[in-house]
């Protein structure tokens, strides 16, 4: 296990992993990119314990990756939005997704990210495979991939 202090290390990878390297944190960030905003929606989608989710959301908020925005006064309720710092993690999440699609998705990608304008898929290089445009998170929409369909069929059968 890496130490929490970095007096003897000068490593941005280690510092980044200390912040976002655990399973739940990166999945929360992934879901935020997919449009999840509210505590109960994160909890339901991830199946994460409420106390663990609260802890991870607090850390992501404290570290400026997410910001809490109030959407209801009585009772007070807030949602979580990616900040500019959080949005900068998009290439990291996409790279993990693409690596998993290549090496772990036996039935094909469960999720496709497609260019809003032309429908081309996002490549490993964050470009549209159809028109070649460089894409950002604002330029893509998620769609079920062939792995999602096959998995759903297997569950029904």
């Amino acid at each position: 296990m890496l130490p929490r202090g970095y007096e003897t290390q000068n490593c941005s990878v280690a510092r980044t992993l200390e912040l976002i390297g655990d399973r739940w944190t990166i999945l929360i960030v992934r879901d935020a990119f997919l449009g999840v905003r509210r505590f109960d929606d994160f909890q339901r989608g991830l199946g994460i314990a409420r106390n663990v989710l609260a802890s991870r959301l607090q850390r992501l908020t404290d570290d400026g990756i997410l910001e809490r925005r109030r959407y209801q006064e009585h009772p007070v309720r807030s949602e979580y939005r990616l900040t500019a710092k959080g949005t900068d993690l998009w290439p990291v999440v996409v790279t993990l997704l693409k690596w998993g699609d290549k090496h772990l998705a036996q039935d094909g990608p469960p999720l496709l990210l497609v260019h809003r304008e032309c429908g081309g898929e996002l490549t490993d290089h964050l470009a549209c495979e159809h028109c070649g445009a460089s894409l950002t998170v604002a330029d893509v929409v998620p769609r079920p991939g062939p792995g999602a369909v096959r998995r759903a069929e297997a569950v029904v059968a």
Side-chain angles (χ1 to χ4, degrees), residues 41-77:
D41 295 333
F42 282 113
Q43 198 276 324
R44 189 174 24 263
L46 294 170
I48 184 175
R50 295 178 73 78
N51 64 319
V52 173
L53 176 59
S55 171
R56 297 311 188 280
L57 288 170
Q58 186 63 55
R59 177 131 191 230
L60 288 165
T61 302
D62 290 346
D63 288 321
I65 292 171
L66 294 175
E67 68 180 0
R68 187 177 289 127
R69 291 185 189 169
R70 192 170 285 179
Y71 70 87
Q72 180 178 307
E73 292 297 326
H74 300 289
V76 172
R77 297 209 186 265

PDB file of all heavy atoms in Angstrom, residues 41-77:
ATOM      1  N   ASP A  41     -29.587   8.237  -6.828  1.00  0.00           N
ATOM      2  CA  ASP A  41     -29.338   7.650  -8.148  1.00  0.00           C
ATOM      3  C   ASP A  41     -27.955   7.004  -8.206  1.00  0.00           C
ATOM      4  O   ASP A  41     -27.789   5.928  -8.786  1.00  0.00           O
ATOM      5  CB  ASP A  41     -29.500   8.697  -9.249  1.00  0.00           C
ATOM      6  CG  ASP A  41     -30.932   9.198  -9.352  1.00  0.00           C
ATOM      7  OD1 ASP A  41     -31.867   8.442  -8.986  1.00  0.00           O
ATOM      8  OD2 ASP A  41     -31.123  10.349  -9.789  1.00  0.00           O
ATOM      9  N   PHE A  42     -26.946   7.655  -7.610  1.00  0.00           N
ATOM     10  CA  PHE A  42     -25.632   7.019  -7.519  1.00  0.00           C
ATOM     11  C   PHE A  42     -25.743   5.720  -6.724  1.00  0.00           C
ATOM     12  O   PHE A  42     -25.233   4.683  -7.137  1.00  0.00           O
ATOM     13  CB  PHE A  42     -24.612   7.930  -6.811  1.00  0.00           C
ATOM     14  CG  PHE A  42     -24.040   9.036  -7.645  1.00  0.00           C
ATOM     15  CD1 PHE A  42     -24.334  10.363  -7.355  1.00  0.00           C
ATOM     16  CD2 PHE A  42     -23.175   8.770  -8.700  1.00  0.00           C
ATOM     17  CE1 PHE A  42     -23.782  11.392  -8.105  1.00  0.00           C
ATOM     18  CE2 PHE A  42     -22.618   9.801  -9.450  1.00  0.00           C
ATOM     19  CZ  PHE A  42     -22.932  11.114  -9.156  1.00  0.00           C
ATOM     20  N   GLN A  43     -26.420   5.790  -5.588  1.00  0.00           N
ATOM     21  CA  GLN A  43     -26.522   4.642  -4.698  1.00  0.00           C
ATOM     22  C   GLN A  43     -27.241   3.484  -5.379  1.00  0.00           C
ATOM     23  O   GLN A  43     -26.791   2.344  -5.348  1.00  0.00           O
ATOM     24  CB  GLN A  43     -27.242   5.056  -3.411  1.00  0.00           C
ATOM     25  CG  GLN A  43     -27.033   4.112  -2.248  1.00  0.00           C
ATOM     26  CD  GLN A  43     -27.971   2.924  -2.257  1.00  0.00           C
ATOM     27  OE1 GLN A  43     -29.140   3.047  -2.650  1.00  0.00           O
ATOM     28  NE2 GLN A  43     -27.470   1.787  -1.852  1.00  0.00           N
ATOM     29  N   ARG A  44     -28.334   3.760  -6.015  1.00  0.00           N
ATOM     30  CA  ARG A  44     -29.123   2.724  -6.683  1.00  0.00           C
ATOM     31  C   ARG A  44     -28.343   2.109  -7.854  1.00  0.00           C
ATOM     32  O   ARG A  44     -28.292   0.895  -8.004  1.00  0.00           O
ATOM     33  CB  ARG A  44     -30.447   3.323  -7.161  1.00  0.00           C
ATOM     34  CG  ARG A  44     -31.448   2.341  -7.681  1.00  0.00           C
ATOM     35  CD  ARG A  44     -32.811   2.965  -8.021  1.00  0.00           C
ATOM     36  NE  ARG A  44     -32.847   4.387  -8.318  1.00  0.00           N
ATOM     37  CZ  ARG A  44     -33.159   5.358  -7.444  1.00  0.00           C
ATOM     38  NH1 ARG A  44     -33.458   5.063  -6.208  1.00  0.00           N
ATOM     39  NH2 ARG A  44     -33.174   6.625  -7.807  1.00  0.00           N
ATOM     40  N   GLY A  45     -27.717   2.951  -8.665  1.00  0.00           N
ATOM     41  CA  GLY A  45     -27.009   2.455  -9.837  1.00  0.00           C
ATOM     42  C   GLY A  45     -25.763   1.654  -9.511  1.00  0.00           C
ATOM     43  O   GLY A  45     -25.438   0.687 -10.200  1.00  0.00           O
ATOM     44  N   LEU A  46     -25.064   2.056  -8.466  1.00  0.00           N
ATOM     45  CA  LEU A  46     -23.813   1.395  -8.108  1.00  0.00           C
ATOM     46  C   LEU A  46     -24.002   0.267  -7.100  1.00  0.00           C
ATOM     47  O   LEU A  46     -23.136  -0.599  -6.985  1.00  0.00           O
ATOM     48  CB  LEU A  46     -22.819   2.413  -7.544  1.00  0.00           C
ATOM     49  CG  LEU A  46     -22.316   3.468  -8.518  1.00  0.00           C
ATOM     50  CD1 LEU A  46     -21.537   4.556  -7.788  1.00  0.00           C
ATOM     51  CD2 LEU A  46     -21.461   2.822  -9.595  1.00  0.00           C
ATOM     52  N   GLY A  47     -25.075   0.306  -6.335  1.00  0.00           N
ATOM     53  CA  GLY A  47     -25.261  -0.685  -5.277  1.00  0.00           C
ATOM     54  C   GLY A  47     -24.254  -0.497  -4.139  1.00  0.00           C
ATOM     55  O   GLY A  47     -23.895  -1.437  -3.446  1.00  0.00           O
ATOM     56  N   ILE A  48     -23.804   0.721  -3.961  1.00  0.00           N
ATOM     57  CA  ILE A  48     -22.807   1.075  -2.962  1.00  0.00           C
ATOM     58  C   ILE A  48     -23.496   1.392  -1.633  1.00  0.00           C
ATOM     59  O   ILE A  48     -24.600   1.925  -1.621  1.00  0.00           O
ATOM     60  CB  ILE A  48     -21.983   2.291  -3.476  1.00  0.00           C
ATOM     61  CG1 ILE A  48     -20.849   2.674  -2.534  1.00  0.00           C
ATOM     62  CG2 ILE A  48     -22.877   3.475  -3.746  1.00  0.00           C
ATOM     63  CD1 ILE A  48     -19.951   3.792  -3.087  1.00  0.00           C
ATOM     64  N   ALA A  49     -22.843   1.056  -0.538  1.00  0.00           N
ATOM     65  CA  ALA A  49     -23.382   1.396   0.780  1.00  0.00           C
ATOM     66  C   ALA A  49     -23.475   2.919   0.907  1.00  0.00           C
ATOM     67  O   ALA A  49     -22.605   3.643   0.428  1.00  0.00           O
ATOM     68  CB  ALA A  49     -22.487   0.831   1.876  1.00  0.00           C
ATOM     69  N   ARG A  50     -24.525   3.369   1.560  1.00  0.00           N
ATOM     70  CA  ARG A  50     -24.773   4.806   1.660  1.00  0.00           C
ATOM     71  C   ARG A  50     -23.626   5.542   2.366  1.00  0.00           C
ATOM     72  O   ARG A  50     -23.255   6.630   1.968  1.00  0.00           O
ATOM     73  CB  ARG A  50     -26.110   5.055   2.344  1.00  0.00           C
ATOM     74  CG  ARG A  50     -27.292   4.528   1.523  1.00  0.00           C
ATOM     75  CD  ARG A  50     -28.623   4.737   2.213  1.00  0.00           C
ATOM     76  NE  ARG A  50     -29.054   6.118   2.198  1.00  0.00           N
ATOM     77  CZ  ARG A  50     -29.609   6.747   1.161  1.00  0.00           C
ATOM     78  NH1 ARG A  50     -29.812   6.094   0.032  1.00  0.00           N
ATOM     79  NH2 ARG A  50     -29.979   8.002   1.258  1.00  0.00           N
ATOM     80  N   ASN A  51     -23.074   4.939   3.404  1.00  0.00           N
ATOM     81  CA  ASN A  51     -21.981   5.603   4.123  1.00  0.00           C
ATOM     82  C   ASN A  51     -20.722   5.698   3.264  1.00  0.00           C
ATOM     83  O   ASN A  51     -20.010   6.704   3.311  1.00  0.00           O
ATOM     84  CB  ASN A  51     -21.683   4.907   5.450  1.00  0.00           C
ATOM     85  CG  ASN A  51     -21.177   3.490   5.285  1.00  0.00           C
ATOM     86  OD1 ASN A  51     -21.661   2.716   4.452  1.00  0.00           O
ATOM     87  ND2 ASN A  51     -20.210   3.116   6.103  1.00  0.00           N
ATOM     88  N   VAL A  52     -20.455   4.682   2.464  1.00  0.00           N
ATOM     89  CA  VAL A  52     -19.295   4.709   1.571  1.00  0.00           C
ATOM     90  C   VAL A  52     -19.508   5.771   0.494  1.00  0.00           C
ATOM     91  O   VAL A  52     -18.603   6.554   0.185  1.00  0.00           O
ATOM     92  CB  VAL A  52     -19.034   3.319   0.949  1.00  0.00           C
ATOM     93  CG1 VAL A  52     -17.937   3.376  -0.098  1.00  0.00           C
ATOM     94  CG2 VAL A  52     -18.703   2.302   2.034  1.00  0.00           C
ATOM     95  N   LEU A  53     -20.719   5.811  -0.068  1.00  0.00           N
ATOM     96  CA  LEU A  53     -21.025   6.819  -1.083  1.00  0.00           C
ATOM     97  C   LEU A  53     -20.890   8.224  -0.508  1.00  0.00           C
ATOM     98  O   LEU A  53     -20.273   9.096  -1.125  1.00  0.00           O
ATOM     99  CB  LEU A  53     -22.432   6.602  -1.648  1.00  0.00           C
ATOM    100  CG  LEU A  53     -22.912   7.640  -2.660  1.00  0.00           C
ATOM    101  CD1 LEU A  53     -21.980   7.709  -3.866  1.00  0.00           C
ATOM    102  CD2 LEU A  53     -24.344   7.316  -3.085  1.00  0.00           C
ATOM    103  N   ALA A  54     -21.441   8.441   0.665  1.00  0.00           N
ATOM    104  CA  ALA A  54     -21.345   9.768   1.292  1.00  0.00           C
ATOM    105  C   ALA A  54     -19.885  10.171   1.485  1.00  0.00           C
ATOM    106  O   ALA A  54     -19.499  11.314   1.214  1.00  0.00           O
ATOM    107  CB  ALA A  54     -22.093   9.779   2.625  1.00  0.00           C
ATOM    108  N   SER A  55     -19.058   9.233   1.922  1.00  0.00           N
ATOM    109  CA  SER A  55     -17.640   9.509   2.126  1.00  0.00           C
ATOM    110  C   SER A  55     -16.942   9.856   0.813  1.00  0.00           C
ATOM    111  O   SER A  55     -16.173  10.821   0.740  1.00  0.00           O
ATOM    112  CB  SER A  55     -16.982   8.281   2.767  1.00  0.00           C
ATOM    113  OG  SER A  55     -15.591   8.416   2.792  1.00  0.00           O
ATOM    114  N   ARG A  56     -17.205   9.079  -0.240  1.00  0.00           N
ATOM    115  CA  ARG A  56     -16.553   9.339  -1.532  1.00  0.00           C
ATOM    116  C   ARG A  56     -17.037  10.656  -2.147  1.00  0.00           C
ATOM    117  O   ARG A  56     -16.236  11.412  -2.692  1.00  0.00           O
ATOM    118  CB  ARG A  56     -16.809   8.206  -2.516  1.00  0.00           C
ATOM    119  CG  ARG A  56     -16.263   6.847  -2.154  1.00  0.00           C
ATOM    120  CD  ARG A  56     -14.810   6.872  -1.726  1.00  0.00           C
ATOM    121  NE  ARG A  56     -14.250   5.551  -1.563  1.00  0.00           N
ATOM    122  CZ  ARG A  56     -14.414   4.779  -0.498  1.00  0.00           C
ATOM    123  NH1 ARG A  56     -15.132   5.195   0.528  1.00  0.00           N
ATOM    124  NH2 ARG A  56     -13.847   3.582  -0.440  1.00  0.00           N
ATOM    125  N   LEU A  57     -18.321  10.941  -2.057  1.00  0.00           N
ATOM    126  CA  LEU A  57     -18.833  12.212  -2.587  1.00  0.00           C
ATOM    127  C   LEU A  57     -18.233  13.389  -1.829  1.00  0.00           C
ATOM    128  O   LEU A  57     -17.889  14.410  -2.425  1.00  0.00           O
ATOM    129  CB  LEU A  57     -20.362  12.245  -2.525  1.00  0.00           C
ATOM    130  CG  LEU A  57     -21.090  11.349  -3.523  1.00  0.00           C
ATOM    131  CD1 LEU A  57     -22.582  11.295  -3.195  1.00  0.00           C
ATOM    132  CD2 LEU A  57     -20.871  11.810  -4.953  1.00  0.00           C
ATOM    133  N   GLN A  58     -18.105  13.253  -0.517  1.00  0.00           N
ATOM    134  CA  GLN A  58     -17.501  14.325   0.277  1.00  0.00           C
ATOM    135  C   GLN A  58     -16.051  14.558  -0.140  1.00  0.00           C
ATOM    136  O   GLN A  58     -15.620  15.692  -0.316  1.00  0.00           O
ATOM    137  CB  GLN A  58     -17.568  13.993   1.775  1.00  0.00           C
ATOM    138  CG  GLN A  58     -17.100  15.128   2.658  1.00  0.00           C
ATOM    139  CD  GLN A  58     -17.982  16.358   2.525  1.00  0.00           C
ATOM    140  OE1 GLN A  58     -19.188  16.281   2.697  1.00  0.00           O
ATOM    141  NE2 GLN A  58     -17.379  17.499   2.201  1.00  0.00           N
ATOM    142  N   ARG A  59     -15.314  13.486  -0.340  1.00  0.00           N
ATOM    143  CA  ARG A  59     -13.907  13.639  -0.753  1.00  0.00           C
ATOM    144  C   ARG A  59     -13.815  14.262  -2.137  1.00  0.00           C
ATOM    145  O   ARG A  59     -12.991  15.145  -2.375  1.00  0.00           O
ATOM    146  CB  ARG A  59     -13.210  12.279  -0.730  1.00  0.00           C
ATOM    147  CG  ARG A  59     -11.782  12.358  -1.217  1.00  0.00           C
ATOM    148  CD  ARG A  59     -10.828  11.681  -0.303  1.00  0.00           C
ATOM    149  NE  ARG A  59      -9.463  12.010  -0.684  1.00  0.00           N
ATOM    150  CZ  ARG A  59      -8.531  11.110  -0.859  1.00  0.00           C
ATOM    151  NH1 ARG A  59      -8.793   9.844  -0.674  1.00  0.00           N
ATOM    152  NH2 ARG A  59      -7.316  11.481  -1.198  1.00  0.00           N
ATOM    153  N   LEU A  60     -14.640  13.800  -3.068  1.00  0.00           N
ATOM    154  CA  LEU A  60     -14.626  14.369  -4.422  1.00  0.00           C
ATOM    155  C   LEU A  60     -15.013  15.851  -4.403  1.00  0.00           C
ATOM    156  O   LEU A  60     -14.485  16.636  -5.183  1.00  0.00           O
ATOM    157  CB  LEU A  60     -15.539  13.569  -5.345  1.00  0.00           C
ATOM    158  CG  LEU A  60     -15.017  12.186  -5.741  1.00  0.00           C
ATOM    159  CD1 LEU A  60     -16.137  11.339  -6.342  1.00  0.00           C
ATOM    160  CD2 LEU A  60     -13.846  12.303  -6.692  1.00  0.00           C
ATOM    161  N   THR A  61     -15.914  16.204  -3.499  1.00  0.00           N
ATOM    162  CA  THR A  61     -16.311  17.605  -3.352  1.00  0.00           C
ATOM    163  C   THR A  61     -15.187  18.413  -2.692  1.00  0.00           C
ATOM    164  O   THR A  61     -14.830  19.490  -3.168  1.00  0.00           O
ATOM    165  CB  THR A  61     -17.614  17.705  -2.528  1.00  0.00           C
ATOM    166  OG1 THR A  61     -18.635  16.957  -3.189  1.00  0.00           O
ATOM    167  CG2 THR A  61     -18.080  19.133  -2.392  1.00  0.00           C
ATOM    168  N   ASP A  62     -14.627  17.889  -1.627  1.00  0.00           N
ATOM    169  CA  ASP A  62     -13.526  18.579  -0.932  1.00  0.00           C
ATOM    170  C   ASP A  62     -12.339  18.819  -1.855  1.00  0.00           C
ATOM    171  O   ASP A  62     -11.664  19.848  -1.752  1.00  0.00           O
ATOM    172  CB  ASP A  62     -13.057  17.777   0.288  1.00  0.00           C
ATOM    173  CG  ASP A  62     -14.064  17.770   1.423  1.00  0.00           C
ATOM    174  OD1 ASP A  62     -15.021  18.578   1.404  1.00  0.00           O
ATOM    175  OD2 ASP A  62     -13.894  16.921   2.335  1.00  0.00           O
ATOM    176  N   ASP A  63     -12.083  17.870  -2.756  1.00  0.00           N
ATOM    177  CA  ASP A  63     -10.933  17.970  -3.653  1.00  0.00           C
ATOM    178  C   ASP A  63     -11.253  18.681  -4.963  1.00  0.00           C
ATOM    179  O   ASP A  63     -10.411  18.742  -5.853  1.00  0.00           O
ATOM    180  CB  ASP A  63     -10.343  16.590  -3.929  1.00  0.00           C
ATOM    181  CG  ASP A  63      -9.618  16.034  -2.709  1.00  0.00           C
ATOM    182  OD1 ASP A  63      -8.948  16.812  -2.005  1.00  0.00           O
ATOM    183  OD2 ASP A  63      -9.730  14.820  -2.456  1.00  0.00           O
ATOM    184  N   GLY A  64     -12.482  19.220  -5.079  1.00  0.00           N
ATOM    185  CA  GLY A  64     -12.815  20.055  -6.225  1.00  0.00           C
ATOM    186  C   GLY A  64     -13.126  19.313  -7.512  1.00  0.00           C
ATOM    187  O   GLY A  64     -13.135  19.921  -8.587  1.00  0.00           O
ATOM    188  N   ILE A  65     -13.404  18.019  -7.434  1.00  0.00           N
ATOM    189  CA  ILE A  65     -13.759  17.245  -8.627  1.00  0.00           C
ATOM    190  C   ILE A  65     -15.258  17.329  -8.883  1.00  0.00           C
ATOM    191  O   ILE A  65     -15.705  17.385 -10.028  1.00  0.00           O
ATOM    192  CB  ILE A  65     -13.271  15.787  -8.480  1.00  0.00           C
ATOM    193  CG1 ILE A  65     -11.737  15.793  -8.508  1.00  0.00           C
ATOM    194  CG2 ILE A  65     -13.847  14.894  -9.565  1.00  0.00           C
ATOM    195  CD1 ILE A  65     -11.109  14.478  -8.172  1.00  0.00           C
ATOM    196  N   LEU A  66     -16.019  17.345  -7.821  1.00  0.00           N
ATOM    197  CA  LEU A  66     -17.470  17.549  -7.897  1.00  0.00           C
ATOM    198  C   LEU A  66     -17.819  18.793  -7.095  1.00  0.00           C
ATOM    199  O   LEU A  66     -17.098  19.160  -6.162  1.00  0.00           O
ATOM    200  CB  LEU A  66     -18.233  16.360  -7.305  1.00  0.00           C
ATOM    201  CG  LEU A  66     -18.137  15.017  -8.001  1.00  0.00           C
ATOM    202  CD1 LEU A  66     -18.862  13.946  -7.176  1.00  0.00           C
ATOM    203  CD2 LEU A  66     -18.702  15.068  -9.403  1.00  0.00           C
ATOM    204  N   GLU A  67     -18.939  19.397  -7.453  1.00  0.00           N
ATOM    205  CA  GLU A  67     -19.489  20.464  -6.617  1.00  0.00           C
ATOM    206  C   GLU A  67     -20.921  20.098  -6.274  1.00  0.00           C
ATOM    207  O   GLU A  67     -21.622  19.451  -7.058  1.00  0.00           O
ATOM    208  CB  GLU A  67     -19.405  21.824  -7.304  1.00  0.00           C
ATOM    209  CG  GLU A  67     -20.290  21.975  -8.519  1.00  0.00           C
ATOM    210  CD  GLU A  67     -20.160  23.359  -9.148  1.00  0.00           C
ATOM    211  OE1 GLU A  67     -19.392  24.199  -8.655  1.00  0.00           O
ATOM    212  OE2 GLU A  67     -20.848  23.582 -10.146  1.00  0.00           O
ATOM    213  N   ARG A  68     -21.312  20.484  -5.095  1.00  0.00           N
ATOM    214  CA  ARG A  68     -22.664  20.220  -4.616  1.00  0.00           C
ATOM    215  C   ARG A  68     -23.515  21.433  -4.951  1.00  0.00           C
ATOM    216  O   ARG A  68     -23.149  22.565  -4.637  1.00  0.00           O
ATOM    217  CB  ARG A  68     -22.624  19.987  -3.109  1.00  0.00           C
ATOM    218  CG  ARG A  68     -23.936  19.553  -2.523  1.00  0.00           C
ATOM    219  CD  ARG A  68     -23.815  19.273  -1.038  1.00  0.00           C
ATOM    220  NE  ARG A  68     -23.058  18.051  -0.815  1.00  0.00           N
ATOM    221  CZ  ARG A  68     -22.003  17.960  -0.019  1.00  0.00           C
ATOM    222  NH1 ARG A  68     -21.569  19.001   0.657  1.00  0.00           N
ATOM    223  NH2 ARG A  68     -21.372  16.829   0.142  1.00  0.00           N
ATOM    224  N   ARG A  69     -24.664  21.175  -5.587  1.00  0.00           N
ATOM    225  CA  ARG A  69     -25.604  22.249  -5.920  1.00  0.00           C
ATOM    226  C   ARG A  69     -26.978  21.892  -5.359  1.00  0.00           C
ATOM    227  O   ARG A  69     -27.505  20.819  -5.603  1.00  0.00           O
ATOM    228  CB  ARG A  69     -25.750  22.407  -7.439  1.00  0.00           C
ATOM    229  CG  ARG A  69     -24.536  22.932  -8.122  1.00  0.00           C
ATOM    230  CD  ARG A  69     -24.833  23.161  -9.584  1.00  0.00           C
ATOM    231  NE  ARG A  69     -23.633  23.473 -10.341  1.00  0.00           N
ATOM    232  CZ  ARG A  69     -23.575  23.510 -11.646  1.00  0.00           C
ATOM    233  NH1 ARG A  69     -24.657  23.253 -12.371  1.00  0.00           N
ATOM    234  NH2 ARG A  69     -22.451  23.788 -12.260  1.00  0.00           N
ATOM    235  N   ARG A  70     -27.537  22.841  -4.648  1.00  0.00           N
ATOM    236  CA  ARG A  70     -28.865  22.633  -4.068  1.00  0.00           C
ATOM    237  C   ARG A  70     -29.921  22.683  -5.171  1.00  0.00           C
ATOM    238  O   ARG A  70     -29.914  23.570  -6.007  1.00  0.00           O
ATOM    239  CB  ARG A  70     -29.136  23.712  -3.032  1.00  0.00           C
ATOM    240  CG  ARG A  70     -30.345  23.419  -2.178  1.00  0.00           C
ATOM    241  CD  ARG A  70     -30.440  24.368  -1.039  1.00  0.00           C
ATOM    242  NE  ARG A  70     -29.424  23.975  -0.059  1.00  0.00           N
ATOM    243  CZ  ARG A  70     -29.214  24.604   1.078  1.00  0.00           C
ATOM    244  NH1 ARG A  70     -29.924  25.656   1.382  1.00  0.00           N
ATOM    245  NH2 ARG A  70     -28.293  24.203   1.911  1.00  0.00           N
ATOM    246  N   TYR A  71     -30.823  21.702  -5.171  1.00  0.00           N
ATOM    247  CA  TYR A  71     -31.921  21.714  -6.136  1.00  0.00           C
ATOM    248  C   TYR A  71     -33.284  21.728  -5.458  1.00  0.00           C
ATOM    249  O   TYR A  71     -34.310  21.867  -6.124  1.00  0.00           O
ATOM    250  CB  TYR A  71     -31.828  20.531  -7.118  1.00  0.00           C
ATOM    251  CG  TYR A  71     -32.098  19.164  -6.515  1.00  0.00           C
ATOM    252  CD1 TYR A  71     -33.386  18.648  -6.415  1.00  0.00           C
ATOM    253  CD2 TYR A  71     -31.050  18.389  -6.061  1.00  0.00           C
ATOM    254  CE1 TYR A  71     -33.620  17.398  -5.873  1.00  0.00           C
ATOM    255  CE2 TYR A  71     -31.275  17.131  -5.528  1.00  0.00           C
ATOM    256  CZ  TYR A  71     -32.562  16.642  -5.434  1.00  0.00           C
ATOM    257  OH  TYR A  71     -32.785  15.404  -4.900  1.00  0.00           O
ATOM    258  N   GLN A  72     -33.301  21.618  -4.122  1.00  0.00           N
ATOM    259  CA  GLN A  72     -34.568  21.631  -3.384  1.00  0.00           C
ATOM    260  C   GLN A  72     -34.309  22.203  -1.999  1.00  0.00           C
ATOM    261  O   GLN A  72     -33.291  21.897  -1.376  1.00  0.00           O
ATOM    262  CB  GLN A  72     -35.106  20.192  -3.282  1.00  0.00           C
ATOM    263  CG  GLN A  72     -36.415  20.067  -2.551  1.00  0.00           C
ATOM    264  CD  GLN A  72     -36.895  18.625  -2.532  1.00  0.00           C
ATOM    265  OE1 GLN A  72     -36.982  18.004  -3.579  1.00  0.00           O
ATOM    266  NE2 GLN A  72     -37.178  18.106  -1.353  1.00  0.00           N
ATOM    267  N   GLU A  73     -35.237  23.036  -1.530  1.00  0.00           N
ATOM    268  CA  GLU A  73     -35.062  23.692  -0.225  1.00  0.00           C
ATOM    269  C   GLU A  73     -35.707  22.933   0.930  1.00  0.00           C
ATOM    270  O   GLU A  73     -35.156  22.892   2.018  1.00  0.00           O
ATOM    271  CB  GLU A  73     -35.628  25.121  -0.287  1.00  0.00           C
ATOM    272  CG  GLU A  73     -34.834  26.056  -1.172  1.00  0.00           C
ATOM    273  CD  GLU A  73     -33.413  26.279  -0.676  1.00  0.00           C
ATOM    274  OE1 GLU A  73     -33.174  26.302   0.543  1.00  0.00           O
ATOM    275  OE2 GLU A  73     -32.528  26.420  -1.541  1.00  0.00           O
ATOM    276  N   HIS A  74     -36.898  22.382   0.728  1.00  0.00           N
ATOM    277  CA  HIS A  74     -37.641  21.736   1.829  1.00  0.00           C
ATOM    278  C   HIS A  74     -38.078  20.354   1.421  1.00  0.00           C
ATOM    279  O   HIS A  74     -39.022  20.224   0.657  1.00  0.00           O
ATOM    280  CB  HIS A  74     -38.844  22.574   2.241  1.00  0.00           C
ATOM    281  CG  HIS A  74     -38.482  23.937   2.712  1.00  0.00           C
ATOM    282  ND1 HIS A  74     -37.856  24.167   3.912  1.00  0.00           N
ATOM    283  CD2 HIS A  74     -38.622  25.147   2.138  1.00  0.00           C
ATOM    284  CE1 HIS A  74     -37.657  25.463   4.052  1.00  0.00           C
ATOM    285  NE2 HIS A  74     -38.111  26.079   2.983  1.00  0.00           N
ATOM    286  N   PRO A  75     -37.449  19.284   1.884  1.00  0.00           N
ATOM    287  CA  PRO A  75     -36.200  19.291   2.634  1.00  0.00           C
ATOM    288  C   PRO A  75     -35.038  19.670   1.720  1.00  0.00           C
ATOM    289  O   PRO A  75     -35.131  19.558   0.501  1.00  0.00           O
ATOM    290  CB  PRO A  75     -36.052  17.849   3.120  1.00  0.00           C
ATOM    291  CG  PRO A  75     -36.770  17.042   2.087  1.00  0.00           C
ATOM    292  CD  PRO A  75     -37.906  17.904   1.600  1.00  0.00           C
ATOM    293  N   VAL A  76     -33.947  20.084   2.336  1.00  0.00           N
ATOM    294  CA  VAL A  76     -32.775  20.482   1.562  1.00  0.00           C
ATOM    295  C   VAL A  76     -32.212  19.252   0.850  1.00  0.00           C
ATOM    296  O   VAL A  76     -31.977  18.213   1.468  1.00  0.00           O
ATOM    297  CB  VAL A  76     -31.694  21.111   2.473  1.00  0.00           C
ATOM    298  CG1 VAL A  76     -30.414  21.354   1.707  1.00  0.00           C
ATOM    299  CG2 VAL A  76     -32.216  22.396   3.087  1.00  0.00           C
ATOM    300  N   ARG A  77     -32.050  19.381  -0.455  1.00  0.00           N
ATOM    301  CA  ARG A  77     -31.460  18.307  -1.262  1.00  0.00           C
ATOM    302  C   ARG A  77     -30.481  18.933  -2.247  1.00  0.00           C
ATOM    303  O   ARG A  77     -30.729  20.003  -2.777  1.00  0.00           O
ATOM    304  CB  ARG A  77     -32.534  17.532  -2.018  1.00  0.00           C
ATOM    305  CG  ARG A  77     -33.508  16.834  -1.102  1.00  0.00           C
ATOM    306  CD  ARG A  77     -34.063  15.598  -1.764  1.00  0.00           C
ATOM    307  NE  ARG A  77     -35.097  15.011  -0.949  1.00  0.00           N
ATOM    308  CZ  ARG A  77     -34.887  14.021  -0.087  1.00  0.00           C
ATOM    309  NH1 ARG A  77     -33.691  13.538   0.059  1.00  0.00           N
ATOM    310  NH2 ARG A  77     -35.876  13.524   0.617  1.00  0.00           N
TER     311      ARG A  77
END
